[in-house]
Amino acid sequence: MEIKKLSMAVAGAAFIAVLTGVTAPVQAALLDFSFTTESGATGSFTLDTDTPSSSEPGIFGPGVTGISYPNAVSNFSVSAPYVNLSNVTTDFNVVPSITSDFIGFPANLGVLSGVSYPPGCITVPGFTCLFDVAVLYSGNLSELPVLSDNPLSYSRGAGIRFYNPTTQERLLTDNITNLQVVRKQPVPESGSSLNVLAFGIGGAGLLLKRKKNSNKPLAI
């Protein structure tokens, strides 16, 4: 009876470990963005909302600063007549002082944020970006510089905007007509559950063998 109880306990522990390994959240802070524009351009990127902000303020124009998140964006791709970019890493930014109504949207939709390219183009020595992908950020501003990991906090796309990096003059704006933001789905580790199960079964077998041997009479 004791051996049966021991076997059931170890098997149960192994089963719980497998369930834990399968259901444990992975990449919970990653958000996947995809968008289309008026000109037919398409693009996508992944934002790591756990990325710490830069110690240097982002510079978006004379007297306009914001928060930069270096290398927070991965898998950044854009396909358009004016640019073709594939799976690069770059920066994200939030500009709390530029509200939605300031850039021509209804009030209370959020503040300006988005992807800046190339990396480092909005920090010291100043704004040198070639283009950005602007979206409205409606997360809790009092929690910044910590970014929200709620897809609903990235409520609306604004546009792809191209600049003269020397004069900061805007050369082109291609308005975003559709923006989709979803939480990145966890990717289970291959074979991890089977390994845990095998470990549990092996442990049960070892304990049962020791228990059986301990009950044998000593040879004299």
Side-chain angles (χ1 to χ4, degrees), residues 31-146:
L31 300 178
D32 279 338
F33 290 66
S34 59
F35 59 88
T36 56
T37 72
E38 287 182 343
S39 74
T42 61
S44 61
F45 61 91
T46 299
L47 173 64
D48 184 352
T49 60
D50 274 345
T51 304
S53 60
S54 171
S55 59
E56 300 288 346
I59 301 172
F60 299 90
V64 181
T65 60
I67 306 167
S68 173
Y69 301 86
N71 299 318
V73 171
S74 60
N75 304 318
F76 180 36
S77 299
V78 181
S79 178
Y82 45 79
V83 65
N84 198 326
L85 205 64
S86 180
N87 295 324
V88 300
T89 298
T90 192
D91 307 337
F92 193 77
N93 62 76
V94 177
V95 194
S97 63
I98 300 183
T99 57
S100 58
D101 55 320
F102 184 82
I103 56 176
F105 287 90
N108 303 317
L109 288 184
V111 300
L112 183 64
S113 70
V115 180
S116 302
Y117 185 84
C121 67
I122 58 173
T123 51
V124 175
F127 188 93
T128 57
C129 297
L130 297 177
F131 71 94
D132 61 32
V133 177
V135 301
L136 295 177
Y137 178 76
S138 58
N140 189 340
L141 298 183
S142 66
E143 295 180 355
L144 292 174
V146 177

Side-chain angles (χ1 to χ4, degrees), residues 194-214:
L194 292 178
N195 291 338
V196 174
L197 181 60
F199 178 78
I201 294 174
L206 181 60
L207 289 173
L208 290 174
K209 182 177 180 180
R210 289 180 176 176
K211 183 68 177 179
K212 184 177 180 180
N213 291 338
S214 66

Side-chain angles (χ1 to χ4, degrees), residues 175-200:
N175 294 327
I176 291 175
T177 55
N178 183 43
L179 175 72
Q180 300 291 328
V181 187
V182 297
R183 193 179 302 278
K184 191 174 183 68
Q185 294 301 309
V187 179
E189 296 181 13
S190 177
S192 59
S193 299
L194 292 178
N195 291 338
V196 174
L197 181 60
F199 178 78

